[in-house]
Amino acid sequence: FIGMMGSGKSAVGDAIARRMGTYNFLDTDTILERATGMTIPQIFEEEGEPAFRDVEAQILDSVHAHVRCVIATGGGLVMRNQNWSKLQTGLVVYLDVDSETIMKRIEGTDRPLLQTDNPLETLTSLMEERRERYEQADVTVEVTAEMDVDMAADACIRALHDFIDDNPPAWKQAKAKAQADGLDWVD
């Protein structure tokens, strides 16, 4: 899952992993905090954003090869090109949430990038910087303020089913072509 801070990546990703039964849920921010022994705001304050992004990329390196898992990423992870190849080893879902809804959701939390005179303006600017990357996801799900976690998870599952139906694996396409060409030995 990709998207802005506060878009619901962790909550929705966890809900979907639970519904899938045998899937694990991994949150790169949680793993990063455990690995460093620091909170994300502490890392930003003591080491700076570039150091945070370096550790974030290392965390993605360690989790992207896992199978049968749902991964929630940090909002800025998409901005590094080397992270995209790792994200694309699976299906990438972008949770698209408007900035006003995000601000309501994250009110009272410590978000290092929003420690500015006008957090809403900063958030909107960050969204615009990242939008092109976010929109490269396989699936985009618009999440509205009225949607709870289950509703957002339902929307993601529907969108993923549609994506898979519209993009069958190569072997299915080859089998269908072989059958259409009269190769009756293909079952």
Side-chain angles (χ1 to χ4, degrees):
F1 280 87
I2 63 171
M4 287 301 296
M5 63 184 93
S7 62
K9 301 178 301 283
S10 297
V12 173
D14 185 48
I16 289 174
R18 288 177 191 276
R19 288 186 191 185
M20 296 175 77
T22 61
Y23 276 62
N24 291 312
F25 174 69
L26 303 173
D27 184 317
T28 60
D29 284 349
T30 301
I31 294 167
L32 188 148
E33 288 184 334
R34 285 186 189 143
T36 62
M38 300 170 75
T39 65
I40 291 170
Q42 286 174 321
I43 297 168
F44 267 80
E45 185 178 324
E46 295 177 25
E47 307 291 335
E49 185 177 1
F52 169 79
R53 297 294 174 205
D54 290 343
V55 175
E56 185 179 54
Q58 291 171 10
I59 298 297
L60 182 61
D61 282 343
S62 70
V63 301
H64 89 276
H66 287 260
V67 296
R68 302 184 73 74
C69 67
V70 176
I71 301 172
T73 64
L77 185 128
V78 298
M79 297 308 289
R80 286 198 173 178
N81 289 333
Q82 72 260 28
N83 292 339
W84 265 107
S85 62
K86 294 170 186 80
L87 290 173
Q88 292 170 331
T89 59
L91 295 176
V92 180
V93 179
Y94 165 38
L95 296 183
D96 187 8
V97 183
D98 68 73
S99 54
E100 290 80 13
T101 300
I102 289 173
M103 286 305 295
K104 287 178 187 149
R105 288 180 176 183
I106 64 174
E107 189 175 359
T109 64
D110 187 7
R111 304 295 175 137
L113 293 177
L114 299 183
Q115 303 306 308
T116 64
D117 291 336
N118 189 336
L120 179 59
E121 183 179 297
T122 303
L123 178 65
T124 302
S125 176
L126 282 169
M127 288 175 78
E128 287 310 310
E129 287 173 27
R130 297 173 179 177
R131 184 169 309 283
E132 185 179 333
R133 294 293 181 106
Y134 288 151
E135 290 176 348
Q136 292 176 33
D138 298 305
V139 173
T140 297
V141 176
E142 186 176 336
V143 179
T144 64
E146 297 76 30
M147 296 170 79
D148 64 14
V149 171
D150 286 329
M151 293 168 72
D154 289 344
C156 289
I157 290 168
R158 275 192 304 279
L160 284 164
H161 276 286
D162 290 346
F163 177 82
I164 292 167
D165 285 347
D166 294 342
N167 298 280
W171 68 267
K172 280 191 175 181
Q173 293 172 320
K175 179 179 175 182
K177 182 179 182 329
Q179 288 173 330
D181 290 346
L183 299 175
D184 57 4
W185 53 267
V186 179
D187 301 273

